[in-house]
């Protein structure tokens, strides 16, 4: 290709992204219908010939903005498809020849046809699959993009985002051209859209001409699959921003002034180079022109590095990175840490040929010129993520999943696929399965209640060595947004968020901890009992309100932490003491315990048949063929997809019968206790039941919560309660063990002892101070039942609460 | 054109009529296939000089070399000119050339040629296997076959014209007499090659550049490591490689000074307008294009995954070498007895601990079931005498037996300062290595006797957690700043401590010394086998490596019998044996069988496994009572 300056006539008039302003302002003339045939070579006028034209449209009044995102203007002429490509000049193309199809050099794009097609798309496209929430305020039965144009005329933001998927469904050929020749097709789109816009809204005033930004090109989704064939094509990839550079001013147009006669001229930058004029055209002096920086035109540019999202990576490899250039208003749109979908043109630039060296490195540098950014995590705040869904599931996959869901025993199937290396514990696995699906998110903020927790929290307690940690590890590996921490090593800071000084920018940066990171996922906390009190206290807020408040270093904020908590706790004594209640065994505050929907005990069942099955399971674990292991891996992938699908698509609502069943279940639960003067259920338990029932409906891919869901929720809840809230003294299930930390019988007993103690003290007469040990011995002496030291302490405490006495060290003093 | 000393294989340059720009011709696959065939021939691979043993400046550029290494980092894939055209400025003649297996193009590239083919390749940053013990290096470098002197200057020239692609195509299996030797290697270098560029012989010893070497961090996982690191360019099938894989790479060495020169030049004349300039930071540049004299480039033709790095074993897999296998198997029991005696002495007369140590040394993660690694056997050797540097001497003795190992003194300072977990450095765009980035079956010795009271800081806590994760799950979570990434590993961890270790372990054994030598130092140096007695040592070395690689199975009958046993044990006393205990006993039984060269579980081995586990546990209980700390 020869240099642009030598053959100005070959400049493509259709170009919407010319680098000079004079040039842009002359564009409208070729928009005029009937004046010249669009495909006619006449449109390649010289700059002088283009100045005239009917001063009709306001396109002309609106300056075009450069589009460095499409690369520097490639000076490709249009050529006749049937003739040989021109060797050096555009002579062939300029020959008017009726009946021949003119295309842009190197492509099969005919500007006129392409423009027409796109205009037809804009005018006619109605999205059949559109949903209300995505296009708020738009009429779904009217052409989508015409409404968007109207929006532009009102708002004045001259950017039209076009979903490539919609282009594809409307005109597959146009879509193919867009993907293959974005550099040529997008400017054509720009032209088409501006023409249409100013025709329809002739009086609109825009800052500059409308630019089309296509997104959602299905060409490539994964950075790993980029290959040389994608060069110069429109691609969409997802990734995470890891670094952004400072703003780089990039020269678009150089301004030269003659030092002798002050004649000035502008030279457009072509692929990073400026052809410095050697001779002044005015005074014919050689080498008299000097570059004037502050009259040259610059555009903003930023280098962004993105890295493959961890989910897209094959195991055992390191993530790939790609360089992205953002231009103009896309600069500073993204921050390190953002997860984005980026649409742009993939470029490969040969290493610069240096005049000193004869041979060069045979490597190309690759980057992407960004055209469109879409933050994926930002949308997470608003709920649905349509792009992510499309990425996750192919139609085949959805079909497989739906077939699986239709099976009557899907619930059992899934629960047995969960952590197959862990033996039995069916109910615990079922509970965790429901936790993985979660309930339906409801918003009651209008009625003042705020968000209603949809996540199911589960606590596993039990003897050490009953594979609790293994279960946690499994869950952590299964879910995409899982976090695994150990109560032993983690501090409150590691769980919540901390403020860090960025070493580079010296800026304060909020670094999020495990709980925030597992937003919309599961936070697995091992050794829950080893956690310090201060750390545990942050969990109170997270586990009910699902938010995290931070006030540190002048940063005050509330972060979302809609995470399900799966915790494992060991008994305080090395072995679980069946004579004690759950609270006594694990010594956790009941305020925290009541926030768990399900509390399971993982105990050694000690029964011969079980032992045999367990032994068989373990031995086969240690001797199993490779294929069987392979098979399981497949299962894990299916399970993962199944859960992801259900979580994104299925939002079950309570049916009439189900709500009735829930009410009955709750009333029943209340009744059990009331016979013995105990409360055995609180509203929190009802909420748990609802969540579990919803999760079970999700497992069935059902949009409705039905009675069977409630039945299973009830059963599971009862099973868990049976394990964790049975009063060891009476053998009855007593929810107050979990809600108040003490069973009703224990409370009654405490009250009795306190009264006995009070009597004893009163019997002693007027002794203002007593020895602690003496008092205990006396009480033991007169009581028929054994009085433990703990019981005695509690009695003392309750008397102290009555302001009857105080305990200081080893002395008990009467008050008043 | 070969110098007398240079025993490196010389390239045979073949001008080929193949159309490189036609991606369908499949010539690339043919080249690789050809190489694989040649290298399979008897001993052929031993003739290829190794980057591990031969100093870089003795190797000829563009010759075939091999490199025994670990993939430390994977860089981004790069696009390069797979085929390109050059124009001779004087005659305007165009020549099509191939860019494969080369870093630098010929002069006069026509960037606008329509025949240019863009191809893709991947770059791995490879380092010598971390912690490889001196004996391995010594044996592998001495085992290399030095070509007979008769060869060198009389290389037949005939191949230039005859052995072109046609030859390849029609008779790839053509029998060649093994000692026309140097014809083993044919490189398709695809230039008309009149300018004699390749005739340049040795690169000068890089005297000036070695000085600058110290500035460049070669990113070895372990401190104090030496040896070349290498940028390996992979042309085929790079997805099949994983980080931390150990490989023997056969490839073409490229040390073109032009590579470094390019890097230097960048600094001198950076221009704001070139978009390629601002892409990389200076650090990134240093890391990704280091001087070729320090970090040579290796264009991979073929890579052999290394299941082990023991040079005493035949390079073929054990199944393929049945003669070797059967002879070793028959000796297994007797070698085991000798090794047991030796280790018993080393462990101050404690035979039980010695037996467990053997089991530990041959343990191996052979499979994973969901998150559970099977076959791992991390051992805590408690009751180690703190005095007289016993643990260090002990490590030195083990070091003579295993191919790779690392000693990590768990002092507070080490724990708070060492980088154990690899971390991604986004500025230089590389994975900064850490001490836990180790090859499979590396023996990691954690010396807890060095741990004193004090405060662990954030790094320290992280390091201890990482060690705990490594032991429990055989995985290391690499730090990618915005997220962590889990890399499975297969490392044998032995923790030496005075009391019970603060780290988890699969089995704890308390050392009961039967002897109390007045001078520990003297005692140990007396029993330690010295390198001179290498035949004995070599027997042990082979034994340990072979035992680890054996297959193992449990018959249905044995499964039944183990089940019965478990049920019976639980019947008597349910507390005595848990599921976890059964897990461990199954591993012990497996290792015990393998240590005896038995590839399936027998009744005897199972009983023996139960027995030694019982002995070990009773010893632990005893010791706990003595401690008196428990309630």
């Amino acid at each position: 290709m020869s240099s642009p300056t030598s053959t100005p006539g070959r400049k493509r008039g259709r170009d919407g992204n010319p680098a000079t302003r004079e040039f842009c302002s002359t564009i409208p003339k070729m928009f005029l219908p009937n004046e010249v045939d669009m495909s006619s070579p006449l449109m390649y006028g010289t700059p002088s010939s283009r100045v005239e034209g009917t001063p009709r449209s306001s396109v002309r009044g609106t300056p075009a903005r450069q589009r460095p995102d499409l690369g520097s203007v490639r000076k490709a002429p249009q050529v006749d498809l049937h003739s040989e490509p021109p060797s050096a000049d555009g002579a062939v193309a300029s020959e008017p020849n009726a009946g021949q199809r003119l295309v842009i050099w190197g492509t099969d794009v005919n500007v006129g046809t392409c423009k027409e097609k796109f205009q037809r798309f804009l005018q006619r496209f109605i999205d059949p699959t559109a949903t209300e929430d995505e296009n708020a305020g738009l009429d779904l039965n009217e052409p989508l993009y015409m409404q968007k144009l109207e929006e532009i005329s009102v708002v004045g933001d001259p950017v039209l985002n076009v979903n490539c998927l919609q282009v594809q469904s409307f005109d597959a050929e146009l879509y193919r051209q867009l993907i293959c020749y974005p550099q040529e097709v997008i400017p054509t789109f720009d032209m088409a859209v501006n023409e249409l816009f100013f025709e329809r809204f002739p009086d609109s005033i825009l800052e500059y001409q409308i630019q089309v930004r296509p997104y959602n090109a299905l060409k490539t989704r994964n950075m790993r699959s980029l290959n040389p064939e994608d060069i110069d094509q429109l691609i969409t990839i997802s990734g995470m921003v890891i670094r952004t550079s400072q703003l780089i001013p990039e020269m678009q147009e150089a301004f030269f002034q003659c030092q002798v006669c002050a004649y000035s001229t502008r030279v457009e930058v072509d692929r990073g180079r400026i052809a410095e004029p050697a001779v002044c055209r005015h005074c014919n002096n050689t080498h008299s022109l000097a570059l004037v920086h502050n009259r040259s035109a610059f555009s903003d540019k930023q280098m962004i590095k993105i890295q493959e999202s961890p989910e897209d990576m094959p195991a055992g490899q390191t993530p790939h990175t790609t360089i992205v250039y953002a231009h103009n208003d896309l600069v500073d749109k993204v921050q390190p840490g953002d997860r984005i979908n980026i649409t742009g043109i993939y470029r490969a630039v040969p290493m610069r040929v240096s005049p000193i060296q004869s041979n060069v490195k045979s490597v190309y540098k690759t980057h992407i010129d960004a055209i469109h950014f879409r933050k994926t995590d930002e949308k997470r705040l608003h709920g649905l993520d349509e792009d992510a869904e499309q990425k996750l599931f192919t139609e085949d996959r959805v079909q497989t999943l739906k077939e699986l869901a239709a099976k009557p025993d899907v619930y059992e199937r899934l629960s047995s696929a969960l952590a197959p290396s862990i033996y039995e514990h069916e109910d615990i696995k079922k509970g965790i399965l429901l936790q993985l699906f979660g309930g339906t998110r409801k918003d009651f903020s209008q009625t003042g209640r705020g968000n209603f927790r949809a996540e199911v929290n589960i606590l596993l307690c039990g003897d050490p060595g009953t594979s609790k940690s293994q279960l946690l590890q499994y869950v952590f590996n299964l879910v995409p947004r899982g976090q695994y921490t150990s109560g032993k090593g983690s501090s409150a800071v590691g769980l919540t968020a901390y403020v860090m000084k960025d070493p580079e920018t010296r800026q304060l940066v909020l670094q999020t901890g495990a709980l925030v990171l597992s937003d919309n996922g599961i936070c697995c906390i091992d050794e829950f009992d080893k956690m310090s009190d201060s750390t545990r206290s942050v969990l109170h807020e997270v586990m009910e309100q699902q938010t995290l408040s931070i006030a540190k270093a002048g940063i005050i904020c509330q972060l979302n932490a809609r995470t399900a908590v799966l915790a494992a706790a060991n008994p305080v004594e090395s072995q679980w003491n069946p004579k004690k209640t759950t609270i006594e065994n694990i010594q956790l505050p009941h305020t925290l315990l009541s926030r768990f929907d399900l509390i399971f005990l993982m105990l050694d069942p000690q029964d011969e048949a079980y032992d045999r099955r367990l032994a068989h399971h373990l031995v086969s674990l240690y001797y199993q063929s490779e294929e069987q292991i392979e098979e399981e891996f497949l299962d894990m992938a299916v399970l993962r997809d199944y859960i992801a699908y259900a979580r994104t698509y299925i939002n079950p609502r309570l049916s009439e019968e189900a709500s009735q069943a829930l009410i009955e279940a709750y009333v029943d639960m209340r009744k059990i206790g009331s016979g013995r003067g105990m409360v055995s259920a609180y509203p929190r338990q009802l909420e748990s039941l609802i969540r579990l029932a919803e999760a079970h409906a999700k497992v069935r891919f059902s949009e409705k919560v039905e009675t069977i869901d409630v039945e299973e929720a009830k059963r599971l809840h009862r099973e868990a309660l049976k394990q964790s809230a049975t009063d060891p003294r009476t053998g009855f299930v007593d929810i107050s063990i979990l809600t108040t930390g003490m069973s009703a019988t224990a409370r009654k007993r405490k009250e009795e002892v306190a009264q006995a103690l009070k009597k004893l003290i009163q019997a002693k007469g007027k002794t203002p101070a007593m020895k602690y040990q003496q008092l205990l011995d006396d009480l033991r002496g007169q009581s028929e039942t054994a009085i433990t030291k703990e019981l005695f302490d509690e009695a003392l405490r309750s008397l102290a609460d009555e302001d009857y006495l105080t305990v200081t060290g080893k002395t008990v003093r009467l008050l008043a | 054109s070969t110098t007398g000393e240079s025993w490196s294989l010389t390239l045979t340059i073949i001008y080929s009529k193949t159309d490189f720009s036609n991606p369908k011709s499949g010539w690339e696959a043919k080249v690789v296939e050809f190489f694989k065939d040649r290298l399979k021939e008897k001993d052929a691979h031993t003739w290829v000089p190794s980057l591990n043993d031969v100093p870089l400046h003795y190797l000829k550029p563009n010759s075939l070399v091999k490199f025994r290494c670990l993939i430390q980092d994977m860089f981004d894939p790069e696009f390069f000119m797979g085929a390109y055209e050059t124009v001779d400025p004087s005659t305007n003649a165009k020549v099509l050339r191939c860019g494969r297996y080369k870093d630098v193009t010929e002069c006069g590239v026509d960037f606008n040629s329509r025949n240019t083919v863009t191809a893709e390749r991947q770059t791995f940053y490879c380092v010598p296997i971390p912690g490889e013990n001196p004996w391995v290096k010594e044996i592998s470098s001495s085992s290399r076959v030095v070509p007979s002197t008769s060869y060198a200057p009389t290389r037949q020239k005939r191949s230039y014209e005859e052995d072109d692609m046609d030859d390849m195509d029609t008779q790839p299996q053509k029998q060649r007499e093994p000692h026309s030797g140097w014809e083993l290697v044919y490189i398709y270098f695809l230039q008309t090659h009149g300018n004699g560029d390749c005739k340049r012989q040795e690169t000068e010893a890089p005297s000036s550049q070695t000085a600058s070497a110290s500035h460049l961090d070669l990113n070895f996982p372990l401190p104090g490591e030496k040896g070349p690191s290498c940028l390996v360019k992979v042309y085929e099938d790079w997805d099949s490689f994983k980080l931390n894989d150990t490989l023997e790479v056969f490839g073409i060495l490229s040390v073109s000074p032009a590579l470094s020169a390019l890097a230097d030049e960048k600094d001198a004349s950076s221009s704001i307008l070139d978009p390629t300039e601002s892409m990389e930071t200076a650090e990134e540049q240093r890391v990704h294009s280091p001087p070729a004299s320090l970090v040579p480039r290796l264009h991979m033709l073929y890579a052999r995954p290394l299941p082990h790095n023991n040079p005493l074993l035949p390079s073929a897999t054990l199944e393929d070498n049945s003669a070797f296998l059967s002879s070793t198997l028959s000796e297994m029991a007797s070698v085991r007895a000798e090794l047991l005696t030796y280790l018993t002495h080393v462990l101050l007369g404690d035979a039980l601990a010695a037996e467990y140590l053997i089991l530990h040394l041959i343990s191996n993660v052979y499979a994973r079931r969901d998150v559970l690694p099977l076959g791992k056997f991390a051992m805590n050797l408690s009751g180690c005498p703190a005095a007289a540097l016993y643990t260090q001497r002990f490590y030195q003795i083990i070091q003579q037996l295993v191919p790779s190992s690392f000693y990590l003194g768990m002092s507070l300072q080490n724990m708070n300062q060492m980088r154990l977990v690899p971390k991604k450095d986004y500025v230089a765009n590389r994975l900064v290595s850490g001490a836990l980035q180790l090859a499979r079956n590396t023996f990691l010795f954690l010396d807890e006797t060095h741990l004193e009271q004090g405060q662990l800081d954030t790094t320290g806590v992280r390091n201890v957690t990482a060690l705990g994760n490594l032991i429990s799950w055989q995985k290391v979570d690499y730090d990618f700043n915005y997220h962590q990434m889990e890399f499975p590993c297969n490392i044998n961890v032995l923790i030496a401590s005075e009391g019970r270790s603060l780290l988890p372990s699969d089995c704890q054994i308390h050392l009961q010394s039967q002897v109390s030598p007045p001078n520990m130092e003297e005692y140990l140096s007396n029993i330690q086998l010295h390198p001179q007695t290498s035949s004995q040592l070599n027997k042990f070395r082979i034994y340990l490596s072979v035992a680890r690689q054996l297959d193992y199975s449990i018959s249905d009958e044995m499964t039944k019998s183990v089940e019965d046993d478990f049920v019976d044990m639980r019947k008597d006393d349910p507390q005595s044996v848990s599921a976890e205990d059964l897990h461990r006993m199954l591993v012990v039984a497996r290792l015990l069988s393998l240590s005896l060269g038995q590839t399936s579980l027998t009744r005897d081995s199972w009983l023996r496994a139960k027995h030694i586990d019982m002995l070990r546990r009773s010893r632990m209980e005893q010791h706990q009572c003595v401690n008196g700390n428990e309630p």
Side-chain angles (χ1 to χ4, degrees), chain A residues 317 321 352 359-360 616 624, chain B residues 76 105 241 274 369 563:
Chain A
Q317 309 223 337
T321 56
R352 206 149 59 103
N359 39 21
V360 292
H616 184 82
Q624 207 176 26
Chain B
D76 293 328
T105 62
F241 298 97
D274 190 328
R369 287 273 305 210
E563 278 168 41

Side-chain angles (χ1 to χ4, degrees), chain A residues 11 33 43 50 62 95 111 138 146 167 220 246 248 291 333 335 338 451 483 500 541 565 614 642 651 661 685 807:
Chain A
K11 263 186 189 164
M43 52 188 282
R50 276 191 266 118
T62 314
E95 234 170 88
V111 175
L138 296 182
M146 293 315 285
V167 177
T220 304
Q246 305 217 306
I248 307 162
L291 183 69
K333 274 276 155 66
Q335 297 293 318
D338 284 348
N451 273 331
Q483 288 289 321
M500 212 182 77
E541 186 190 351
V565 174
L614 174 70
Y642 193 95
N651 293 297
Q685 271 74 47
V807 184

Side-chain angles (χ1 to χ4, degrees), chain A residues 535-565:
Chain A
T535 316
R536 235 182 260 144
S537 66
V538 305
L539 285 170
H540 282 107
E541 186 190 351
V542 171
M543 288 176 64
E544 205 53 63
Q545 274 73 49
Q546 307 261 288
T547 53
L548 241 170
S549 309
I550 288 158
K552 269 197 192 95
I555 300 178
I556 299 170
C557 61
Q558 201 173 41
L559 300 169
N560 273 329
R562 293 159 301 185
T563 171
V565 174

Side-chain angles (χ1 to χ4, degrees), chain B residues 166-211:
Chain B
D166 296 338
D167 179 296
M168 273 282 308
D169 288 346
T170 52
Q171 318 164 261
Q173 301 301 330
K174 185 173 123 188
Q175 203 52 49
R176 287 162 208 275
E177 57 285 41
H179 268 282
S180 68
W182 312 116
E183 295 183 8
L184 277 173
V185 181
Y186 293 84
I187 303 293
Y188 301 88
F189 261 55
L190 329 150
Q191 288 83 16
T192 35
H193 229 280
N195 55 14
D197 167 56
C198 268
K199 302 234 166 67
R200 183 167 38 85
Q201 291 305 307
E202 315 248 299
T203 39
E204 323 71 61
S207 53
S208 58
Q209 276 153 330
T210 23

Side-chain angles (χ1 to χ4, degrees), chain A residues 1 85 224 226-228 231 240-243 248 250-251 269 271-274 301 303 305 307-308 310 313 315-323 325 336-337 339 346 348-354 356-367 419-422 464-465 469-470 473-474 476-477 484 489 498 504 511 517 575 604-608 610-612 614-624 626 628-629 632-633 636, chain B residues 73-81 99 102-109 111-112 114 116 118-122 238-243 258-259 261-262 265-266 269 271 273-281 284 289 366-372 374-375 424 426-427 429 431 461-462 469 473 475 480-483 485-488 552-555 559-560 562-564 566-567 570-571 574-575 577-580 582-584 586-587 590:
Chain A
M1 267 177 273
R224 204 158 277 268
L226 286 178
N227 66 48
I231 291 174
M240 191 173 60
V241 179
I242 51 167
R243 262 160 62 81
I248 307 162
E250 190 178 45
M251 193 180 280
V269 176
R271 273 165 288 172
R273 279 151 193 264
I274 310 164
K301 177 170 145 182
M303 187 201 84
K305 257 201 172 157
Q307 180 184 282
E308 254 176 310
M313 299 225 7
Q317 309 223 337
T318 57
H320 288 176
T321 56
T322 303
I323 292 165
Y325 281 114
R339 284 168 192 242
Y346 196 39
V349 189
M351 297 287 266
R352 206 149 59 103
V353 193
S354 133
I356 319 160
Q357 259 175 304
S358 52
N359 39 21
V360 292
K361 242 172 133 175
S362 58
V363 181
Y364 294 95
K365 288 275 166 191
T366 55
H367 70 266
S421 68
I422 295 160
S469 308
Q470 204 184 319
Q473 276 283 339
Y474 182 87
F476 158 66
N477 276 293
Y484 183 94
Y498 50 99
E504 260 174 69
Q511 291 275 341
L517 285 175
Q575 206 79 35
D604 226 347
Q606 301 179 359
D607 132 45
E608 185 177 328
Y610 172 83
D611 289 349
R612 183 168 295 279
L614 174 70
H616 184 82
H617 178 79
L618 289 187
V619 178
S620 63
L621 188 70
Y622 275 86
Y623 170 53
Q624 207 176 26
E626 289 286 323
Q628 277 164 305
I629 290 171
E632 230 134 65
F633 265 106
M636 196 156 160
Chain B
D73 194 4
M74 292 165 151
F75 293 160
D76 293 328
E78 59 187 19
F79 292 173
F80 69 101
M81 285 178 259
K102 296 207 91 183
D103 281 307
V104 179
T105 62
E106 299 298 309
C107 29
V109 180
F111 285 100
N112 295 323
R114 303 175 71 203
T116 307
T118 311
E120 193 180 5
R121 69 187 174 202
Q122 169 74 288
W238 49 81
D239 285 339
S240 63
F241 298 97
K242 294 209 158 85
L243 198 74
L259 293 169
L262 279 174
E265 188 209 343
K266 281 258 166 68
S269 65
S271 108
L273 282 175
D274 190 328
T276 60
E277 299 290 342
S278 52
M279 272 185 202
E280 290 181 335
T281 58
E284 191 170 349
S289 351
Y366 64 94
R368 283 170 195 270
R369 287 273 305 210
D370 44 64
V371 292
L372 191 71
L374 298 180
K424 179 82 177 187
Y426 283 113
V427 177
N429 195 15
L431 188 65
V461 173
R462 268 195 208 135
N469 274 339
W473 310 109
K475 62 162 192 178
F480 280 82
N481 197 0
Y482 302 99
H483 60 98
M485 216 141 78
E486 183 181 307
F487 285 87
Y552 175 73
S553 65
I554 304 176
S555 65
T559 308
K560 183 83 183 55
V562 170
E563 278 168 41
D564 290 341
F566 182 66
V567 174
R570 297 266 298 179
K571 225 185 255 164
Q575 297 295 321
V577 50
S578 65
E580 210 180 357
L582 182 60
H583 267 289
R584 187 185 49 248
L586 283 165
V587 177
R590 174 196 159 88

Side-chain angles (χ1 to χ4, degrees), chain B residues 89-118:
Chain B
S90 54
T91 61
N92 242 353
K94 289 189 174 183
V95 183
L96 188 65
R97 295 168 189 276
C98 174
R100 239 171 123 95
Y101 311 123
K102 296 207 91 183
D103 281 307
V104 179
T105 62
E106 299 298 309
C107 29
V109 180
D110 175 11
F111 285 100
N112 295 323
S113 162
R114 303 175 71 203
N115 292 324
T116 307
V117 176
T118 311

